[in-house]
Amino acid sequence: MTPSTPEAPDTGASADPVEFPIARSCPFSPPDAYAPMRERGTPTKVAVPGGKEAWLVTGFKDVRAALSHPASSSDARHPAFPALGDGEQAVAAELRPFIRMDPPDHTRVRRMLVGEFTVKRVREMRTAIEEICREQVEYLLSRPMPADLVGDYANRVSTTVICRLLGVPMEDLEFFRRITSVSGARTSTAEEVGAALADLFGLIDRLIDEKAQSPGDDLISRLVNGPLERGEITRHSLLSQIGITLNAGHETSRNMIPLAALDLLDNPDQLDLLREDPSLWPGAVDELLRHLSVADVITLRVATEDIPLEGATIPAGDGYIALLAAANHDPEAFPEPGRLDIARSQRNHVAFGYGVHQCVGQNLGRLEIEVALRVLFEKVPTLRPAVPVGDLPLRSSSAIFGLEEVPVSW
Ligand code: HEM
């Protein structure tokens, strides 16, 4: 990958590109290396796993430009696709989940799902989500101290919510939890991910048959008895689209909820504001999403034509990653970006991405995080970390950033 245009990005001082992904040194902040890259104002070349190179885009304006340009491709079949996990490109190229498709195929599939996540639809789920969170807080409190906020709360909330939405029966929940713990870890080998995906697809395949026979009030039933029955989507594609929705919907909340709880405990003045005035919660959730930017490295792209940015051009044919945490911590867009300020009321962050792939489940994501945190802090007012935050094991190599475990006491 040698950019030949005069606008080609600055490759930085060193001849060898730095390796990517780069680990965070603090769970509440983007990797330290992002700020100097952003200050340089041009994309930085990095080496991604598997011997390829790609450009990192870091400024807020550039990230939005790079994600909304029509030449920005998410198609994993492109040789330059900058996959970060072992086997990720081959799996995505074979399964073609719509997160890794381009219009018009992407538009067609997304349209089938978008109605499931409208503000109105999601609002109707509030009571059910509150019930789930209350049940899971009881479970957390039944555990010996220190309990794990990830395994004993957030993971249980996120898997139960997404399975309820899609119509995965509660008796399959533990099986689903086992599958996702393997497929969500970037440390899993391609074989392990392959076996976990085969299990997931076996489960969805069975559910498609069951819901064709006796439909319920759930997302899988509606897709099976709508687009699949009418021949608008193949069974293979439907399996992939249900699989990505299950995975994306669960993995993000599983990582976001404990991290957000810790972030608030680390900023007690902000938590006090929420305790005094619960109407501040929706704004606080957006600020936590911005501050933590857990989906930082999910936006893998290839430029199918030259993509012009503020200070340089991404050359046609090159892979790039539009870093969401770098954009959300750009001081030109968010003054004092490192400060958690729940009154910031800036919803223009890119924690849910930008452009045609912007998170389809964002209304549900916002609601789930809000309810999970509110119920947690209401029911466990003395919640506190049982180990120093600096000692917590980070999930630096997974597609969605998070913590392996968060021991807590109360
Ligand atoms: C809780 C916080 C969440 C965050 C931070 C988040 C973040 C993101 C981001 C950044 C993207 C864009 C990926 C790209 O441009 O390549 C995305 C897409 C997506 N998200 Fe989320 N997400 C969240 C919750 C959810 C939930 C609850 C669901 C489903 C129930 C969901 C399902 C999806 C799907 C299916 C896509 C692909 C959309 C497309 O390609 O058109 N997400 N998400």
Side-chain angles (χ1 to χ4, degrees):
M1 186 181 75
T2 312
S4 54
T5 58
E7 304 90 349
D10 179 0
T11 56
S14 81
D16 289 328
V18 287
E19 287 186 12
F20 193 82
I22 301 168
R24 294 187 184 200
S25 55
C26 161
F28 309 135
S29 316
D32 303 332
Y34 287 5
M37 289 179 187
R38 193 176 47 229
E39 279 154 23
R40 246 195 338 267
T42 51
T44 304
K45 188 196 271 185
V46 287
V48 295
K52 278 190 251 181
E53 290 178 354
W55 300 105
L56 295 185
V57 181
T58 50
F60 180 73
K61 282 187 187 154
D62 276 351
V63 162
R64 297 217 301 186
L67 289 176
S68 56
H69 197 280
S72 140
S73 171
S74 292
D75 194 333
R77 294 172 302 180
H78 197 292
F81 184 77
L84 300 177
D86 188 15
E88 184 181 343
Q89 182 169 16
V91 170
E94 150 68 13
L95 298 178
R96 306 215 59 224
F98 71 113
I99 197 169
R100 302 295 182 221
M101 276 183 184
D102 292 334
D105 292 347
H106 167 262
T107 323
R108 204 171 39 80
V109 175
R110 186 168 165 124
R111 222 174 262 147
M112 293 176 191
L113 280 164
V114 84
E116 300 288 338
F117 299 101
T118 59
V119 175
K120 184 171 173 289
R121 256 281 160 76
V122 166
R123 209 180 281 142
E124 288 162 8
M125 292 184 67
R126 186 172 197 114
T127 310
I129 296 176
E130 282 169 352
E131 252 167 49
I132 290 168
C133 292
R134 276 198 291 270
E135 262 172 45
Q136 298 309 336
V137 165
E138 290 308 320
Y139 179 83
L140 176 79
L141 292 172
S142 75
R143 307 293 295 158
M145 275 196 268
D148 175 16
L149 203 51
V150 180
D152 295 329
Y153 185 62
N155 192 50
R156 298 176 65 86
V157 167
S158 69
T159 45
T160 314
V161 169
I162 198 73
C163 286
R164 179 84 61 92
L165 172 77
L166 270 84
V168 178
M170 289 301 121
E171 53 274 23
D172 290 317
L173 202 57
E174 280 307 325
F175 181 59
F176 175 70
R177 284 180 184 146
R178 273 202 303 280
I179 297 170
T180 49
S181 70
V182 177
S183 63
R186 197 155 254 155
T187 44
S188 299
T189 62
E191 289 72 33
E192 288 165 338
V193 172
L197 283 177
D199 283 345
L200 178 65
F201 276 37
L203 171 65
I204 302 171
D205 205 39
R206 198 195 81 214
L207 292 176
I208 290 178
D209 286 337
E210 284 176 13
K211 284 166 195 300
Q213 294 298 316
S214 53
D217 180 16
D218 58 65
L219 186 148
I220 299 181
S221 291
R222 282 187 284 276
L223 290 178
V224 168
N225 298 287
L228 182 66
E229 198 183 59
R230 291 194 294 271
E232 292 162 11
I233 189 167
T234 63
R235 189 173 175 118
H236 178 267
S237 180
L238 183 66
L239 277 163
S240 295
Q241 311 321 332
I242 293 171
I244 184 66
T245 308
L246 272 168
N247 246 332
H250 139 259
E251 190 60 17
T252 41
S253 310
R254 175 244 181 247
N255 288 305
M256 185 61 201
I257 294 165
L259 206 49
L262 276 186
D263 205 359
L264 286 171
L265 289 169
D266 199 50
N267 290 277
D269 58 325
Q270 303 295 296
L271 184 55
D272 284 346
L273 290 175
L274 288 163
R275 286 186 160 132
E276 282 157 24
D277 182 1
S279 73
L280 296 174
W281 269 108
V285 168
D286 267 290
E287 172 64 351
L288 287 160
L289 282 159
R290 179 200 71 81
H291 198 232
L292 298 166
S293 297
V294 294
D296 182 28
V297 300
I298 206 167
T299 45
L300 313 175
R301 300 289 193 271
V302 174
T304 56
E305 292 167 19
D306 284 0
I307 297 185
L309 303 178
E310 293 264 296
T313 296
I314 303 173
D318 282 4
Y320 65 93
I321 305 166
L323 295 175
L324 303 180
N328 280 337
H329 284 254
D330 183 341
E332 283 190 18
F334 305 96
E336 287 190 75
R339 197 160 67 86
L340 181 77
D341 174 7
I342 60 157
R344 195 182 287 270
S345 54
Q346 266 187 285
R347 283 188 79 176
N348 62 336
H349 63 75
V350 289
F352 288 116
Y354 194 69
V356 295
H357 289 277
Q358 195 183 56
C359 183
V360 75
Q362 60 184 279
N363 295 324
L364 176 62
R366 282 193 176 93
L367 178 68
E368 199 177 332
I369 295 163
E370 180 191 323
V371 173
L373 293 174
R374 279 179 81 152
V375 171
L376 180 67
F377 285 114
E378 271 162 32
K379 298 266 178 202
V380 199
T382 55
L383 186 79
R384 59 184 185 278
V387 297
V389 170
D391 292 350
L392 294 172
L394 309 184
R395 281 186 130 203
S396 290
S397 58
S398 63
I400 305 292
F401 176 75
L403 298 159
E404 293 294 348
E405 54 177 27
V406 177
V408 287
S409 312
W410 50 87

